[in-house]
Amino acid sequence: MAAFIELEDSPMFQKQICSLQYTADELKDRCQTLYEGSKKFMTALGEAYNGDNSFADSLEASGGGQDDPISVSIGGPIMTKFINAFRELAGYKELLRSQVEHVLVDRLMHFMTVDLQDAKESRRRFDKAINTYDQAREKFVSLKKNTRGDIVAELEEDLQNSKSAFERSRFNLVNALMNIEAKKKSEFLESISAIMDAHLRYFKLGYDLLSQLEPFIHQVLTYAQQSKELAKAEQDRLEKRIQEFRTQSEIDTLRASTNKEPSTSTGGIHVIGMSSDKNIEAIMQSSTNGEVQTIKQGYLIKRSSSLRGDWKRRFFVLNSQGTLYYYMNKGTKMGSHHQYTGSAEQNSGVFARFRARHNRSSSFNEETLGCHIIDLCTSTIKMDAKDTDLRLCFRIISPLKTYTLQAENGADRMDWVNKITAVITSLLNSHILQQHVENNAYARRASSNARSPNSLGTLEIDQIGNRAEPVSVVLKEIPGNDVCAECSASGPDWASLNLGILLCIECSGVHRNLGVHISKVRSLTLDVKVWEPSIVELFCTLGNAYCNSVWEGSLVKNERVDESNAIGTSITKPCAKDAISNKEKYIHAKDSFAPLHFSREQYIGKVSTTKRRTVID
C-alpha cells in the first residue's frame, strides 16, 4: 500500500501503475519457469514411487517370502521385511509427491491463472476506461456556446459516467497489482517452506522405519557373513576332495593297467580296500558296533529286466552291513510343485524358520533318488552272463531275480566279484547273520523313503541317541540349554563345539571373534554335517548349566583373588537385553580368567572321560 501514497490520477500515479505492471509481467515469466521445474520434480517423485514399488515387486517375484527351493536358497523368507520396508518407503515418496503437487504446483498455477491474470484483465479494462473517458471529455469540452442545453446535459452525463468507470477500473487495477505485491512476499516463501517441511517429515519417517529395521539388518548381515564363511570352507574342502579323487583315480588306472587290484574311492568318501575274506569279515564285524563303512562303490552297467533288455548305468554301493544297493534317478515332472509342511514356528526367530525351510529344501534332490536293495544273503555270483556276448559281465543270482551287470574294465569286474563273494561268505559263515537281517530291514525302510547315502549318517545318530528328534530338540532338553549360556536369551540357535554350550546369535558373534582355537561356533540347524554322534554325545554330557558352574565359578575365584590384592573388579553376568559391549566384556573376562585354573582342552578331556565329574574344587 505504501506504493500509492497519493491516489490522485497524475503522471506519478501512472508511472507507479506501469512499474507494478512491468513487475507483474516479469514475475509471471519467473513463475512459469518455477512451475515447469516443479512439474519435473513432481514427475521424478512419481517415477521414484513407481521404481520402489517395481523393485519390491521384483524382489517378491524372484522369491521373497516364498517357500519353493530356489527362493529358500537365496534367503527368500528373510527378505519379506525388506520388501515391506521398500513399499513403505514408496508410500512416503507418494505422500511427498502429493504435498509438492498441492502446496507448490497448484498454488503456482492459481497465482498465474487467477492473480496475475486478474491484474492483466484489470489493466485491459483500465486502458479501455481511459480511452472512453478521454473521448467523453473531448466531446464535452468541444461544445460551442450556442449548443442546445439537452445536448450539453447528455454529454455531461456521459462524461460523468465514463469518469466513474475510469475511477473504478483505476482502483481495481491498483488492488490487483497490490494483491500481487503482497502475495509475492509470502506465497513463495510459504510454499517452499512447506515443501522443505514435507521433506523433513519424509526423511524422518524413513529414518524411523530403518531405525526399527536396523537390528534385523545387522542380523541378516551377520548371518550372510557366516554363511559366506561356511560356503568358503565347504568350497575349500571340495577342492581338496576333488584333488584327492583325481590323484586316486590316476593311481587306480595305473594299477589296473598293471593288473593290480585297485583301492577304490569315489566322491571323496574313503573306501577300505580288502584283498581277503578275513579282511571283509573283520570290517563287517565292526558294523555290529554301529560303524557302517563302504567296502566298494561305483558305477556298473545293469541289464534291464524288461523284454527289450536295455543296458542302463547305475550306481552300486556295497557296505559293511552286507547290503548291496543301487540308485537310479526317478526324474521330476515339469511344472510340479513341492509343498513343504511342518511347524517351523516352533523354532524361535525368522532365521530359525528360514533354516528349517532351508534344511527341507536341501534334501529336495535326495528325494528324486530311488534306492533298490539286492539281498546277498540268499544270492550267488557267477562270472558268466547268459544270452550276451559282451565282455566284462557277471551275474548276481537271487531266488527272486537275476542281475546281469557289466564293469568298465577287467580289474574292476574282478574286484566287484571278489568283494561280493567275500561278503556273501561272511554273511553265511559269521555269527552276525541275525544282525544282517535287522540291518537289511533298516535298508528297506531307507529305500521306501528314497533316501541318498548321506542319510545313513542321520540314521546312525538316531540309532545312537535312540530318538528321531532333530539335533536342536535333543540338545535343548539338556539342563540349562533352553537359554543362552552367556546372556540367558531364550531359544539359542548356535553352539560352541569345543566348549559344549548353546549360544544366542549375538553371543555367538562374540565367540566367533575369539578365534576357533578358543571357541568353534556352529549353527544347530544350518550346519547339519558337524553334528556327528560323538559331538551330540559330548553335548549331552555337558550342558549350559554344568559348563557355567565351571567357567563362572572360575570367574568368581578370580574376583576373590583380585579383592585380596585390593584390586576392585566387578563383572556382572549380562541379560538378553543388555548392550553387546557388556556381553563382550563378560565373555572376554571368562576367557581371560580361565587359564588360571586349567585349559579348555583339559576341561573337555576331563569332562569326556569322567562324565560330569567335578573339575574344580
Side-chain angles (χ1 to χ4, degrees):
M1 301 303 176
F4 292 95
I5 298 176
E6 298 292 338
L7 297 179
E8 293 291 337
D9 185 19
S10 64
M12 288 72 72
F13 179 83
Q14 294 290 338
K15 182 179 179 181
Q16 289 180 345
I17 291 291
C18 292
S19 176
L20 293 176
Q21 186 67 45
Y22 176 79
T23 301
D25 294 339
E26 181 70 20
L27 185 60
K28 184 176 181 180
D29 294 337
R30 299 192 181 189
C31 287
Q32 184 66 34
T33 302
L34 180 59
Y35 175 78
E36 293 175 356
S38 301
K39 289 286 290 183
K40 291 181 179 179
F41 179 50
M42 190 178 67
T43 303
L45 290 175
E47 292 176 352
Y49 165 76
N50 295 330
D52 284 354
N53 278 329
S54 299
F55 181 62
D57 293 340
S58 64
L59 277 179
E60 187 172 21
S62 65
Q66 302 179 19
D67 285 343
D68 59 276
I70 296 179
S71 301
V72 171
S73 65
I74 63 175
I78 294 179
M79 289 195 295
T80 303
K81 285 189 177 182
F82 296 151
I83 295 173
N84 295 334
F86 275 113
R87 288 192 171 131
E88 288 191 41
L89 291 174
Y92 300 156
K93 283 189 175 69
E94 175 61 19
L95 178 61
L96 178 60
R97 188 203 65 81
S98 176
Q99 290 175 328
V100 170
E101 180 179 10
H102 291 90
V103 176
L104 182 59
V105 175
D106 290 349
R107 293 180 71 170
L108 276 174
M109 177 60 69
H110 183 273
F111 186 72
M112 290 189 299
T113 58
V114 177
D115 297 328
L116 292 176
Q117 188 65 27
D118 183 47
K120 184 177 180 180
E121 290 294 327
S122 297
R123 178 70 187 190
R124 184 182 62 80
R125 289 192 295 267
F126 174 72
D127 292 339
K128 184 178 179 181
I130 287 179
N131 187 33
T132 303
Y133 180 45
D134 289 342
Q135 290 177 1
R137 187 175 56 253
E138 289 177 1
K139 287 182 181 181
F140 181 76
V141 297
S142 64
L143 291 176
K144 302 296 182 179
K145 292 182 179 181
N146 58 354
T147 305
R148 296 199 313 262
D150 57 340
I151 297 175
V152 172
E154 181 181 357
L155 291 178
E156 186 177 7
E157 183 180 1
D158 290 341
L159 177 61
Q160 292 296 330
N161 291 336
S162 62
K163 182 179 180 180
S164 177
F166 165 72
E167 291 294 332
R168 286 196 304 271
S169 62
R170 185 166 69 93
F171 289 122
N172 287 338
L173 178 58
V174 168
N175 289 330
L177 292 176
M178 291 308 297
N179 179 53
I180 293 174
E181 286 293 312
K183 282 192 172 183
K184 76 179 183 180
K185 296 178 180 180
S186 61
E187 286 286 317
F188 294 96
L189 291 177
E190 185 178 4
S191 298
I192 299 302
S193 298
I195 292 303
M196 296 306 296
D197 183 68
H199 277 78
L200 174 63
R201 295 180 182 276
Y202 164 74
F203 285 109
K204 189 175 185 302
L205 288 172
Y207 176 79
D208 293 340
L209 173 64
L210 295 177
S211 294
Q212 296 175 4
L213 202 61
E214 184 177 8
F216 182 74
I217 294 174
H218 290 167
Q219 289 180 10
V220 174
L221 290 175
T222 301
Y223 173 79
Q225 182 63 31
Q226 293 170 349
S227 299
K228 184 186 295 184
E229 293 175 0
L230 293 174
K232 182 64 169 61
E234 185 66 24
Q235 188 175 5
D236 293 340
R237 288 195 296 269
L238 178 60
E239 292 178 357
K240 183 178 180 181
R241 291 169 59 193
I242 291 175
Q243 185 62 36
E244 292 175 353
F245 176 82
R246 295 179 63 181
T247 303
Q248 188 63 43
S249 297
E250 293 176 358
I251 294 174
D252 292 344
T253 302
L254 182 61
R255 289 180 177 177
S257 62
T258 56
N259 294 326
K260 293 183 179 180
E261 181 183 0
S263 62
T264 307
S265 70
T266 304
I269 303 175
H270 180 66
V271 182
I272 301 174
M274 270 72 64
S275 59
S276 66
D277 293 351
K278 291 183 179 181
N279 291 336
I280 294 285
E281 186 173 354
I283 295 301
M284 295 182 65
Q285 182 66 30
S286 67
S287 66
T288 59
N289 299 325
E291 181 182 0
V292 180
Q293 302 182 46
T294 301
I295 298 176
K296 184 174 178 61
Q297 62 181 3
Y299 281 99
L300 292 172
I301 302 176
K302 174 183 170 295
R303 185 177 182 180
S304 174
S305 57
S306 63
L307 295 177
R308 292 187 303 176
D310 298 333
W311 293 84
K312 297 181 180 179
R313 198 165 180 251
R314 298 288 182 254
F315 188 79
F316 284 79
V317 178
L318 178 64
N319 62 23
S320 59
Q321 291 180 327
T323 303
L324 177 66
Y325 51 94
Y326 65 93
Y327 292 94
M328 57 180 295
N329 194 337
K330 296 186 295 184
T332 56
K333 295 182 179 179
M334 295 297 295
S336 63
H337 298 277
H338 295 262
Q339 300 292 335
Y340 299 105
T341 59
S343 58
E345 288 72 20
Q346 294 177 356
N347 296 327
S348 61
V350 65
F351 291 98
R353 293 194 293 271
F354 166 70
R355 291 172 188 135
R357 293 169 181 154
H358 181 74
N359 291 339
R360 290 196 298 270
S361 66
S362 64
S363 62
F364 175 79
N365 291 332
E366 297 176 2
E367 296 176 358
T368 64
L369 296 176
C371 178
H372 298 266
I373 309 298
I374 302 177
D375 188 4
L376 294 180
C377 186
T378 58
S379 301
T380 184
I381 188 169
K382 291 189 176 182
M383 290 288 290
D384 60 332
K386 294 182 178 179
D387 302 328
T388 178
D389 56 354
L390 296 177
R391 300 171 56 252
L392 309 175
C393 292
F394 63 96
R395 288 184 299 160
I396 300 177
I397 304 172
S398 69
L400 299 178
K401 188 176 181 180
T402 299
Y403 299 87
T404 303
L405 308 174
Q406 184 183 33
E408 295 184 356
N409 53 67
D412 192 34
R413 179 180 70 161
M414 186 58 64
D415 192 35
W416 275 108
V417 171
N418 290 339
K419 289 177 178 176
I420 293 175
T421 302
V423 168
I424 293 174
T425 303
S426 179
L427 288 175
L428 295 176
N429 298 333
S430 68
H431 64 280
I432 64 169
L433 180 59
Q434 183 61 34
Q435 180 67 25
H436 162 73
V437 174
E438 296 176 0
N439 291 337
N440 211 23
Y442 156 75
R444 289 193 180 93
R445 289 196 302 270
S447 174
S448 63
N449 292 328
R451 302 293 294 176
S452 69
N454 293 335
S455 64
L456 297 178
T458 303
L459 294 174
E460 289 174 14
I461 295 176
D462 292 343
Q463 291 175 353
I464 294 174
N466 292 326
R467 61 199 311 157
E469 294 90 342
V471 172
S472 59
V473 176
V474 175
L475 298 185
K476 289 180 181 180
E477 292 179 355
I478 301 170
N481 282 14
D482 56 333
V483 296
C484 174
E486 303 293 3
C487 67
S488 300
S490 60
D493 288 331
W494 296 84
S496 175
L497 293 185
N498 52 341
L499 296 181
I501 58 176
L502 301 190
L503 305 165
C504 66
I505 186 170
E506 285 191 351
C507 294
S508 69
V510 180
H511 272 253
R512 190 179 294 276
N513 291 334
L514 294 176
V516 295
H517 63 289
I518 295 178
S519 182
K520 185 178 295 184
V521 179
R522 292 293 183 269
S523 171
L524 293 182
T525 54
L526 186 61
D527 300 313
V528 294
K529 294 184 178 180
V530 304
W531 296 106
E532 298 177 351
S534 59
I535 299 297
V536 176
E537 184 179 4
L538 174 62
F539 272 73
C540 293
T541 304
L542 299 173
N544 287 357
Y546 177 75
C547 293
N548 281 339
S549 68
V550 176
W551 298 113
E552 292 177 3
S554 173
L555 185 60
V556 170
K557 281 192 173 185
N558 187 79
E559 290 180 357
R560 293 174 180 173
V561 172
D562 288 345
E563 290 176 0
S564 63
N565 294 332
I567 300 176
T569 59
S570 178
I571 301 176
T572 306
K573 183 171 183 176
C575 62
K577 296 182 179 179
D578 285 349
I580 187 64
S581 59
N582 295 338
K583 299 178 182 180
E584 289 179 351
K585 180 180 178 182
Y586 181 76
I587 294 171
H588 282 288
K590 290 171 64 176
D591 174 61
S592 60
F593 296 155
L596 295 174
H597 303 282
F598 44 83
S599 66
R600 281 179 163 78
E601 289 75 9
Q602 293 172 340
Y603 162 73
I604 294 299
K606 283 193 175 185
V607 173
S608 299
T609 55
T610 60
K611 304 294 183 180
R612 291 184 175 271
R613 189 175 63 190
T614 304
V615 293
I616 59 175
D617 298 334

